[in-house]
Amino acid sequence: MCNPLAKRKMGFDMGMLASYNPSLHYLRETCGFNKRRAQLGASATSAFFAAACSLPSKHIHVASIKSGHASTSLECALEILKSRGPLGFFSGFSVCLLRAAPPIMTTWLGLERIRELEWSIGL
């Protein structure tokens, strides 16, 4: 069985990886952003989705501890709604986003710089 920290990390990674390229292409092609602004916007979008995707596993873990058994997603949502109200779904998001944004954005901007250097030397 996967521990809650590993599940949270997987959600974090998937949110980060799945959102970067689509948002980069969208910002360049649809919104008309230049290359640098599109990279900055895509890296910020990636940080947002990494934070958003890592939070549900935290809520599921808390709900399963309270109920004493492994909860389904519906049971988890009802437990959060009963115990914390509708704003309970957003608890911890701002802290997670503030912690995640700098390293994620730095990673993507560094990767883009490496891609540009490789392209300039013909790799």
Side-chain angles (χ1 to χ4, degrees):
M1 185 166 108
C2 198
N3 71 26
L5 183 59
K7 287 181 184 177
R8 189 169 185 186
K9 177 82 172 101
M10 287 186 302
F12 186 84
D13 292 343
M14 289 308 299
M16 177 181 148
L17 295 173
S19 62
Y20 182 74
N21 282 334
S23 59
L24 180 67
H25 293 299
Y26 176 79
L27 292 173
R28 291 213 54 202
E29 295 167 5
T30 306
C31 298
F33 283 25
N34 65 25
K35 182 169 57 172
R36 293 287 177 212
R37 285 187 179 196
Q39 290 171 352
L40 185 62
S43 63
T45 303
S46 180
F48 176 85
F49 282 106
C53 291
S54 69
L55 286 178
S57 60
K58 173 185 159 194
H59 290 311
I60 290 169
H61 180 63
V62 169
S64 65
I65 289 173
K66 286 184 178 183
S67 66
H69 67 285
S71 300
T72 65
S73 57
L74 182 59
E75 289 172 348
C76 175
L78 291 174
E79 181 67 35
I80 292 167
L81 192 59
K82 282 192 289 187
S83 64
R84 296 184 238 161
L87 294 178
F89 292 103
F90 300 101
S91 66
F93 179 75
S94 60
V95 173
C96 188
L97 181 60
L98 289 173
R99 287 182 182 167
I104 289 174
M105 293 177 73
T106 303
T107 299
W108 286 123
L109 295 174
L111 175 68
E112 290 297 335
R113 183 67 181 140
I114 291 169
R115 285 180 181 171
E116 290 170 7
L117 290 172
E118 287 177 338
W119 186 79
S120 70
I121 62 172
L123 291 178

